[in-house]
Amino acid sequence: MTDLFAPLQSLKQGDWFKLICGASFQHLPAVRSLTLAYTLAGADCIDVAADPAVIAAAQAGLLVAKSLAKDAQKRGFDYKGDSPFLMVSLNDGEDPHFRKAEFNPTECPTDCSRPCEWICPAQAIVFNSKKEDFSGVVSEKCYGCGRCIPICPYDIIYTSSYMSTPGAIAPLVMSTGVDAVEIHTKVGRLAEFEQLWQAISPWADQLKLLAISCPDGEGMTDYLRTLYDLIAPLKSALIWQTDGRPMSGDIGDGTTIAAVKLGQKVLAAKLPGYVQLAGGTNSYTVAKLKAMGLLKRAGGDEGVGGDEGDEGATTSSSPSSISGIAYGSYARVLLSPILEQLENKEVSNTNVKANLRLEEDDVLLWQAVELAHSLVSQIKSQQEH
């Protein structure tokens, strides 16, 4: 399987790049635009919410990217038309990635300075917005980072969490033709994980990749070993996503430390499969990994042996270095000025149809790809000679 799919080659080489659109992010135009820009920039995987409409928006972005492959190459981008894997995220219990902020705007005092509005990285909180025609949280834009909650001076913002219903969501999602699934779990949720896995397992053979995302906790590596025993043998490739500090990469350089430390911990456990960082990843992450010698050198030893296309191949070896990085809030915020300009054009220019698409504005499109490439190329440059 590794030889057939370019994204799996990236895992093997140690320069895998994943874009996390957000497990609860359902703003369809943004998902489509982010998918398009990061695909043209060379991303290996696009991770989206387990929502058929969101999946369709991402698939539309992938199709447009394929049609623009030659244009991308002429502009110096190393995109050859290979589609990144499309991944959906599922949860086996309460998880910060699967929640949304809520509040009643009528409870807000008129003299409030509205710090929630300016701190929201997704621009999901609006007041008297002409475009949205309401005040409050624009649900489809909120991805549950929770930064608005402690900053509210009147303590009226709360979150609503939701969980996957395994029996209902698995057939619906798996029938959409996704390439990969990521399961968000926590130490101590073995029974819940098993229930979700039983719902997914009838489709497991059609997956090219399975990822398991878990934050740190007491007994974490033992828990991950137990999960591996439960899912083995596995025909697809396997990623352990180390969720260092969830949804914090756009805050500052300190957040990447938690992601790297957790990655080291899982590497030391020598679990079969690949190790990929997430949670707090940003522009400092690759430099930190390089400084610590945790990234594979071009032409160096393979981190994981065997052919992942063979049943049980992932049992044969474990990685010696970080195989890839997933970027969420940092990657999305990086492109937010472009996406905001696109939205403003929809409002201000009455001659343009309401659903203006990124590829319909040539200038904004390639600006977005250039910005995306500035992040993707950090890890991809590892394999350049």
Side-chain angles (χ1 to χ4, degrees):
M1 185 181 289
T2 301
D3 295 329
L4 297 177
F5 300 106
L8 292 183
Q9 283 285 10
S10 296
L11 270 176
K12 197 171 185 180
Q13 292 165 184
D15 65 350
W16 162 272
F17 180 102
K18 184 175 88 167
L19 168 69
I20 303 173
C21 285
S24 61
F25 188 59
Q26 297 166 302
H27 188 48
L28 303 184
V31 168
R32 188 183 188 280
S33 295
L34 287 165
T35 300
L36 171 58
Y38 275 97
T39 297
L40 290 172
D44 296 294
C45 183
I46 310 293
D47 185 359
V48 301
D51 177 328
V54 175
I55 294 168
Q59 288 171 329
L62 293 175
L63 279 175
V64 174
K66 192 173 284 287
S67 72
L68 293 171
K70 289 184 179 179
D71 288 348
Q73 291 165 20
K74 288 178 183 177
R75 292 171 181 269
F77 299 109
D78 191 32
Y79 171 65
K80 298 179 176 62
D82 297 315
S83 289
F85 287 166
L86 184 57
M87 173 184 282
V88 295
S89 287
L90 302 174
N91 57 322
D92 64 9
E94 290 281 338
D95 189 286
H97 298 89
F98 297 80
R99 66 180 185 181
K100 290 182 182 291
E102 294 182 16
F103 69 92
N104 183 350
T106 63
E107 297 178 4
C108 297
T110 55
D111 60 349
C112 181
S113 61
R114 298 170 179 170
C116 60
E117 188 174 19
W118 56 259
I119 203 172
C120 177
Q123 299 176 315
I125 297 178
V126 296
F127 289 91
N128 304 315
S129 167
K130 292 181 180 178
K131 184 175 181 182
E132 276 85 10
D133 195 28
F134 93 115
S135 296
V137 179
V138 183
S139 179
E140 64 268 22
K141 289 186 177 182
C142 176
Y143 58 82
C145 71
R147 294 175 210 176
C148 56
I149 298 171
I151 206 169
C152 175
Y154 299 97
D155 196 28
I156 63 171
I157 303 177
Y158 59 96
T159 60
S160 290
S161 298
Y162 60 94
M163 299 193 335
S164 306
T165 306
I169 196 68
L172 181 65
V173 169
M174 300 307 291
S175 65
T176 60
V178 298
D179 303 294
V181 166
E182 179 168 281
I183 300 176
H184 289 253
T185 189
K186 287 183 180 178
V187 177
R189 290 213 298 242
L190 180 60
E192 293 86 349
F193 181 95
E194 186 171 10
Q195 182 184 13
L196 181 56
W197 179 247
Q198 286 175 349
I200 296 171
S201 57
W203 291 272
D205 286 354
Q206 77 184 43
L207 294 176
K208 301 178 182 74
L209 175 69
L210 174 70
I212 296 176
S213 179
C214 187
D216 202 2
E218 187 177 352
M220 177 200 184
T221 54
D222 288 338
Y223 178 64
L224 297 185
R225 285 192 188 94
T226 303
L227 295 185
Y228 181 78
D229 290 341
L230 176 65
I231 63 176
L234 194 65
K235 287 189 175 181
S236 67
L238 174 64
I239 284 178
W240 301 106
Q241 176 166 291
T242 57
D243 198 6
R245 188 174 166 186
M247 297 176 285
S248 65
D250 57 312
I251 293 176
D253 59 341
T255 64
T256 204
I257 296 173
V260 173
K261 283 185 176 179
L262 189 52
Q264 285 181 294
K265 181 175 180 177
V266 176
L267 279 176
K270 299 188 180 301
L271 295 160
Y274 300 98
V275 177
Q276 172 226 278
L277 302 188
T281 53
N282 52 34
S283 62
Y284 300 95
T285 306
V286 169
K288 183 74 173 174
L289 290 172
K290 283 182 179 178
M292 299 177 71
L294 292 173
L295 279 180
K296 189 184 301 180
R297 301 291 180 184
D301 295 334
E302 298 295 349
V304 176
D307 180 354
E308 285 79 4
D310 297 332
E311 185 171 346
T314 50
T315 63
S316 62
S317 55
S318 56
S320 57
S321 56
I322 297 298
S323 297
I325 305 173
Y327 297 85
S329 55
Y330 182 83
R332 298 192 299 270
V333 170
L334 186 64
L335 264 59
S336 62
I338 302 294
L339 302 188
E340 188 177 357
Q341 286 184 63
L342 196 65
E343 285 196 14
N344 289 339
K345 285 197 172 190
E346 292 176 26
V347 175
S348 60
N349 190 347
T350 55
N351 294 321
V352 178
K353 57 186 179 181
N355 59 339
L356 183 68
R357 292 169 173 171
L358 183 58
E359 70 272 17
E360 293 169 345
D361 189 309
D362 205 53
V363 173
L364 289 182
L365 168 64
W366 296 110
Q367 284 179 354
V369 177
E370 186 66 48
L371 280 171
H373 186 259
S374 71
L375 184 58
V376 176
S377 62
Q378 291 182 21
I379 191 165
K380 291 299 180 182
S381 66
Q382 284 294 105
Q383 296 305 321
E384 293 176 0
H385 295 274

